[in-house]
Amino acid sequence: MPSIILATLNARYAHSSLGLRYLYANLNDGLRAQAVIREFIITSRPSDIAEQLLRENPRIIGLGVYIWNVAQTTQLVALLKRIAPEVVIVLGGPEVSHEIEEQPIAQLADFVLPGQADLSFNQLCERITRHDPPRDKILASPPPRLADLRLPYRYYSDQDIAHRVLYVEASRGCPFKCEFCLSALDKTAVPFDLEAFLAEMDALYRRGARQFKFVDRTFNLKIEASVRIMEFFLARLDETLFLHFEVIPDHLPERLKEVIKRFPEGSLQFEIGVQSFTPEVQALISRKQDNAKTEANLRWLRQESHAHLHTDLILGLPGESLEQIAAGFDRLVALDPHEIQVGILKRLRGAPIARHTQAFGIRYNPHPPYDILCSDLLDFPTLQRLNRFARYWDMIGNSGRFRAALPLILGTRPFANFLRLSDRLHEACGQTHKIALDRLFQMLHAALPPLFDIDPAQVEAALLEDHGRSGLKGPPGFFRAGPEASPAPPAKTRTPARQARHRA
């Protein structure tokens, strides 16, 4: 039976916890021999997770706490302390690194390790096993020297390699100060030793790993390292290799472009945080971004490379009106990225965005994910509309299923038109989740002609084409033309199937 269990609740089974593996790797040899990693998903019942954990009779349980699992993990800790109060519960992770005293989960636990606990978790376990636990509950973890860390990649199991996205990092931290992000608290970005890192990537590749999701905040900050890493994978390129990088939108030197152009379709994905095109808002939240260079780089990537472009916008930033949000969305749509992830502003614990709360009349949800409820420029009903907009956009705009119908919807006023459609869809069904795909086709078939004054035959032709690519069996439920008509034959979707499988 293990003495130490390292556990967390992932959002999905396909996700894996890099943080747990760092903690495991940096236990001393004796403690590591007594430790195991156990990963669960947030849809599991806390009582079932508690049963599985306590079945192994551990002395210490370390739990990774994040914004997406804090509610479920709080329930889990309450159960564990009620059933087995003798088990020492140690918390770590971003959600318990700030504003700790006011959190119920921290009050329930025995110890909390805010910050980067790669080394401090081992130190705490050593003291507990020596029967000399610290008197303080909250034990701050200063950032470790990266050279002092054992890398964790060998602790991805064969099952992880076969079925999960593998998270890796070539650097830690971020030099930028965007106030909506916890990385604004970092002093700078610090690289790992590149030779050691690439040796670990080679070992993973030799074991069969083909999906690598880099969690570096600014992968293209240091071009020498970026090019070296991409060249490393180009030398090992095969039909199943898939790489995900988060990149700075306005920094794409020619040398990096030349390497990017060599990756084939379906092998490369960039997450590109645009967040806002409004200069006044960018200045207010300490975001340095050259909008002209951002547009030029996105245009080049879309036209000259095979990279899949996942772009991000944040709605609800302080000082940004609905009209400015609409202008930014339309500007990004014109650049034609494969995806526009429309996110609603969240007040992450510890993020400097909180300093604008009073000045802009912002009110946030007191429960995770701490999303904005209203502000001086966006009232609650408007924020509710924007939340629905984001959800429907994900189903229709980002899914790749409505390539023919989407231009009819967006027209020359993408944001305004899609907001109208979002309102109409919500009126029709009253929900934004658990909408069957065939039902979505039917609702679009009914809504688009009167909403945008489009010829019903044109709408039906576009939806038939999209339905033919959708994988749905049988004739579409909305189709009422003559018996000689049939759906369009399957065609290649906008996003390669292999790539869709790899997205996390």
Side-chain angles (χ1 to χ4, degrees), residues 327-359:
F329 182 85
D330 291 354
R331 194 168 174 178
L332 191 51
V333 166
L335 296 168
D336 194 31
H338 301 89
E339 294 180 75
I340 301 174
Q341 188 68 45
V342 179
I344 306 299
L345 176 66
K346 300 172 180 62
R347 192 195 75 81
L348 304 179
R349 293 185 184 275
I353 197 78
R355 73 187 183 95
H356 300 295
T357 299
Q358 185 172 353

Side-chain angles (χ1 to χ4, degrees), residues 1-20:
M1 293 290 184
S3 295
I4 303 169
I5 297 180
L6 288 160
T8 195
L9 280 65
N10 296 323
R12 300 176 185 174
Y13 172 78
H15 297 177
S16 58
S17 174
L18 181 60
L20 292 188

Side-chain angles (χ1 to χ4, degrees), residues 4-9 17 19-20 23 38-40 49-50 53 60-66 69-70 72-81 87-96 105 108-113 117 121:
I4 303 169
I5 297 180
L6 288 160
T8 195
L9 280 65
S17 174
L20 292 188
L23 296 178
R38 297 288 183 255
E39 294 179 271
F40 305 91
I49 298 173
L53 292 173
I60 301 169
I61 298 177
L63 292 166
V65 189
Y66 301 86
N69 72 13
V70 61
Q72 297 88 337
T73 308
T74 301
Q75 296 177 47
L76 172 63
V77 174
L79 288 172
L80 291 171
K81 296 309 291 182
V87 176
V88 178
I89 304 297
V90 182
L91 306 178
E95 184 64 13
V96 292
I105 191 171
L108 290 165
D110 296 288
F111 297 101
V112 182
L113 300 180
F121 180 72

Side-chain angles (χ1 to χ4, degrees), residues 225-269:
S226 305
V227 168
R228 182 81 186 283
I229 291 169
M230 297 185 86
E231 292 276 10
F232 169 88
F233 284 107
L234 278 170
R236 293 158 177 79
L237 187 65
D238 64 18
E239 292 183 354
T240 58
L241 182 68
F242 177 79
L243 307 172
H244 172 105
F245 300 108
E246 184 173 342
V247 298
I248 307 164
D250 56 4
H251 184 56
L252 205 64
E254 289 299 323
R255 188 176 173 200
L256 188 57
K257 288 180 179 178
E258 290 303 314
V259 180
I260 291 170
K261 287 169 67 174
R262 292 163 57 193
F263 281 87
E265 186 175 8
S267 62
L268 191 61
Q269 175 168 288

Side-chain angles (χ1 to χ4, degrees), residues 413-427:
R413 303 172 66 233
F415 182 87
N417 284 3
F418 201 86
L419 187 60
R420 288 178 63 197
L421 175 63
S422 173
D423 292 340
R424 181 63 60 87
L425 292 176
H426 192 253
E427 289 172 7

Side-chain angles (χ1 to χ4, degrees), residues 367-438:
H367 304 292
Y370 315 120
D371 48 316
I372 182 173
L373 299 174
C374 61
S375 70
D376 58 350
L377 294 177
L378 303 170
D379 60 16
F380 179 64
T382 300
L383 261 302
Q384 288 291 91
R385 292 178 73 199
L386 292 177
N387 271 287
R388 293 191 287 268
F389 177 104
R391 177 57 187 157
Y392 289 130
W393 176 258
D394 213 33
M395 285 189 280
I396 297 169
N398 286 340
S399 67
R401 294 190 176 108
F402 296 93
R403 291 173 56 194
L406 192 60
L408 301 179
I409 297 169
L410 299 182
T412 59
R413 303 172 66 233
F415 182 87
N417 284 3
F418 201 86
L419 187 60
R420 288 178 63 197
L421 175 63
S422 173
D423 292 340
R424 181 63 60 87
L425 292 176
H426 192 253
E427 289 172 7
C429 69
Q431 62 192 85
T432 58
H433 292 76
K434 298 182 179 179
I435 300 175
L437 182 55
D438 195 58

Side-chain angles (χ1 to χ4, degrees), residues 23 32 41 79 104 135-136 171 183 201 209 215-216 250 271 276 323-324 364 369 410 422 477 488 494 499:
L23 296 178
R32 198 180 326 114
I41 55 175
L79 288 172
R135 293 183 178 180
D136 294 332
S171 65
S183 294
M201 296 303 99
V215 298
D216 307 54
D250 56 4
E271 182 175 347
S276 171
E323 292 74 22
Q324 290 169 319
Y364 293 99
L410 299 182
S422 173
R494 183 177 190 177
Q499 189 164 303

